[in-house]
Amino acid sequence: MAIDVILGLQWGDEGKGKIVDYLANNYDIVARFQGGPNAGHTLKFDGQKFVLHTIPSGIFRENLINLIGNGVVIDPITLEKEIHKIKSVVGDYKERLLVSKKAHLILPTHRYIDAATESFKGKEKIGSTLKGIGPTYMDKTGRNGLRVGDIMLPNFMEKYESLRAKHLGILKLYPEIDFNLKAEEEKWFNSLENLKSLQTVDGEYYINQALKDGKRILAEGAQGSMLDIDFGTYPFVTSSNTISSGVCNGLGVAPSAIGEVIGISKAYCTRVGSGPFPTELEDEIGDLLREKGGEFGATTGRPRRCGWIDLPQLAYTIMLNGVTQLVITKIDVLNEFETIKAATHYEYEGALHEQLPYDICNIPIKPVYTSFKGWSTDLEGIAEYEDLPPVAQSYIKALESHLNVPVSMISTGPERKKLVLKEIGVLN
Ligand code: GDP
Ligand code: IMO
Ligand code: MG
């Protein structure tokens, strides 16, 4: 069997949580492979709403195993809070939630360093979620990090103290940062008890055995491809590989194990935090998208920047990920728009381009748009592709033919069941 992948093709918040939750019933295992509590994946079903940060979005489905892979960074405090919020609904979570021993731990001091380095950047700040993600991945690649499996080792306290000492040394460079380490440390150590009570596994053996046993596995991405550490709008990115290749490192599987790559894009585009966003609309249309789409961060509550869908950007991330099918979410947000736009090209350095420039953070880009007639109809309740208004179908067809990837699903609302399934292979 192969591992299918679901990931975001823009700057995050594409609706990954909703789609993973919907599709999870077709799988035996859902696995997160990167990121950490910077993620906020929203699930809505039976009138209830949950936001997951570390736990995979398959947790609400009976009998389904949820693995937090080695590529994820875990803050035990957040994880404990998350478990507390879902406990009454998911019941048997201890049998179904597994944690890789090789996943790295976010320490309280990682969060302080995140805050310190962000404030030091001044106007250049990334707009980090301040969850300690960057400093934790830095310690991982710097070979100083603490891993989940270390908790059980006899020299764990020694390792912890040595890393804390290093962090306190760094923090001395930022005297303006105020923190109460004692109180946070107490919480952190208490939450380690919760982590210890979970099943930890050698994730790479676990997942490869599952593949051999014919289990169906879905890998759930966090963030979006434009936040990828290598290919995103660097330095305004996160600190992990968010693209499909991250599945191999983040779970310990070979590239040949990857099956379908399901890329998610909103019918428009958003970004939270700083950095380039060529199609951003800093006008009343942008405000309307934010209002209609409820575009406020699921993790930090910050207003998301909004703009039109950006086809050169999507073509880029489809290429990087090897996307085999596209999911378009939040199409209902455009219900009342008389005209819908999509950027087809970029104008920069005096010429038209289909590629993103290397210096995307500094080169002024003027997007060139094509316009579509809006459908001015409520799409709620539509389950069949054929029942979508012809203009909405034309919009989807235009995306398919421009991007050369079939659209397999169109999401028409935040609820689990609000989804139009479309037969794929209908490229025009
Ligand atoms: P994720 O990080 O990719 O899982 O996305 P978020 O949960 O951060 O943000 C997506 C937001 O849009 C959440 O509030 C979802 O409940 C909501 N959502 C998902 N799909 C749809 C949709 O098709 N229509 C509308 N209106 N909202 C949606
Ligand atoms: P999900 O999984 C949207 C953004 C932050 C910031 C940058 C770096 O819900 O799609 P970090 O905390 O990683 O140091 O922040 O990345 N960011 C996200 N934006 N959705 C997310 O996750 C994000 N995770 C990080 O806003 O600009
Ligand atoms: Mg999110």
Side-chain angles (χ1 to χ4, degrees):
M1 287 303 266
I3 300 189
D4 294 338
V5 186
I6 286 198
L7 40 76
L9 295 176
Q10 299 167 310
W11 280 275
D13 304 327
E14 296 88 351
K16 298 175 291 293
K18 172 190 161 152
I19 303 298
V20 171
D21 169 59
Y22 178 84
L23 289 179
N25 257 359
N26 302 317
Y27 293 90
D28 301 302
I29 301 171
V30 174
R32 273 276 305 268
F33 58 93
Q34 47 70 231
N38 48 351
H41 295 183
T42 315
L43 285 70
K44 283 193 178 174
F45 53 87
D46 303 339
Q48 304 180 87
K49 173 182 160 179
F50 297 94
V51 180
L52 297 172
H53 303 286
T54 320
I55 298 172
S57 301
I59 198 71
F60 296 98
R61 299 296 203 166
E62 265 175 53
N63 303 324
L64 203 136
I65 299 290
N66 290 264
L67 171 69
I68 302 175
N70 60 280
V72 176
V73 289
I74 299 176
D75 185 332
I77 301 178
T78 323
L79 180 59
E80 186 176 15
K81 279 193 200 147
E82 242 179 290
I83 290 177
H84 185 72
K85 284 195 185 142
I86 62 169
K87 217 155 59 183
S88 61
V89 185
V90 295
D92 62 339
Y93 75 92
K94 281 203 178 167
E95 276 143 54
R96 303 193 294 108
L97 181 61
L98 310 181
V99 185
S100 166
K101 289 180 194 165
K102 292 194 171 79
H104 277 246
L105 291 171
I106 303 177
L107 273 55
T109 40
H110 280 131
R111 278 189 273 121
Y112 303 149
I113 294 174
D114 216 359
T117 48
E118 268 287 86
S119 79
F120 188 72
K121 284 186 166 146
K123 275 208 319 232
E124 300 300 304
K125 77 175 172 33
I126 291 164
S128 165
T129 60
L130 303 180
K131 303 291 177 190
I133 305 297
T136 306
Y137 279 116
M138 273 169 71
D139 272 334
K140 175 178 176 174
T141 51
R143 296 158 295 176
N144 298 306
L146 287 185
R147 302 185 290 178
V148 167
D150 292 342
I151 304 172
M152 303 312 282
L153 299 181
N155 62 348
F156 176 64
M157 272 317 286
E158 225 172 274
K159 280 173 181 267
Y160 174 81
E161 278 165 15
S162 139
L163 190 53
R164 179 183 58 185
K166 182 191 147 211
H167 289 169
L168 291 177
I170 295 172
L171 286 163
K172 278 203 183 120
L173 300 172
Y174 304 94
E176 68 282 6
I177 293 294
D178 204 21
F179 54 87
N180 181 352
L181 181 55
K182 210 164 179 311
E184 278 303 301
E185 247 182 356
E186 197 179 321
K187 278 199 231 162
W188 195 79
F189 278 102
N190 284 340
S191 66
L192 281 191
E193 294 307 311
N194 168 69
L195 186 52
K196 275 188 204 164
S197 77
L198 302 178
Q199 287 188 64
T200 57
V201 290
D202 293 305
E204 63 279 35
Y205 282 112
Y206 181 85
I207 209 93
N208 281 288
Q209 188 58 48
L211 278 169
K212 267 195 204 149
D213 294 344
K215 302 276 189 229
R216 298 159 303 168
I217 305 168
L218 181 62
E220 173 181 4
Q223 290 77 57
S225 303
M226 294 304 288
L227 291 170
D228 182 271
I229 182 71
D230 281 285
F231 299 106
T233 44
Y234 192 88
F236 301 97
V237 293
T238 190
S239 298
S240 63
N241 280 117
T242 58
I243 60 173
S244 55
S245 63
V247 174
C248 299
N249 305 325
L251 293 177
V253 294
S256 53
I258 308 290
E260 289 292 312
V261 179
I262 304 165
I264 309 189
S265 167
K266 287 181 188 173
Y268 52 98
C269 192
T270 64
R271 169 165 206 170
V272 60
S274 335
F277 179 1
T279 59
E280 181 171 14
L281 296 165
E282 290 177 281
D283 57 13
E284 64 283 3
I285 302 178
D287 292 344
L288 195 61
L289 285 169
R290 186 175 311 106
E291 185 203 318
K292 297 280 173 202
E295 295 296 355
F296 296 89
T299 297
T300 58
R302 291 178 290 177
R304 296 175 182 149
R305 299 156 63 193
C306 298
W308 295 121
I309 199 166
D310 180 341
L311 301 181
Q313 177 272 301
L314 281 177
Y316 177 62
T317 54
I318 285 168
M319 170 187 83
L320 293 170
N321 287 298
V323 170
T324 57
Q325 43 178 298
L326 262 179
V327 177
I328 303 296
T329 56
K330 306 193 85 159
I331 197 160
D332 54 297
V333 174
L334 303 179
N335 281 351
E336 289 164 34
F337 283 72
E338 277 176 22
T339 306
I340 294 160
K341 290 190 182 181
T344 55
H345 295 80
Y346 291 162
E347 198 183 312
Y348 57 82
E349 292 175 334
L352 273 189
H353 301 265
E354 287 184 30
Q355 290 193 7
L356 280 61
Y358 167 74
D359 198 12
I360 190 164
C361 296
N362 295 304
I363 292 182
I365 294 176
K366 195 170 157 247
V368 178
Y369 291 104
T370 185
S371 295
F372 300 88
K373 195 173 164 339
W375 37 93
S376 306
T377 321
D378 190 351
L379 302 182
E380 200 167 330
I382 296 181
E384 301 294 330
Y385 182 69
E386 289 66 34
D387 296 336
L388 283 175
V391 277
Q393 290 188 26
S394 311
Y395 175 67
I396 296 294
K397 275 189 199 139
L399 297 183
E400 286 181 319
S401 62
H402 193 99
L403 298 168
N404 206 27
V405 181
V407 171
S408 58
M409 280 173 260
I410 299 145
S411 176
T412 57
E415 279 279 327
R416 183 186 273 170
K417 289 181 187 149
K418 295 219 165 136
L419 206 62
V420 175
L421 300 181
K422 177 173 163 298
E423 244 176 75
I424 61 175
V426 253
L427 280 181
N428 292 331

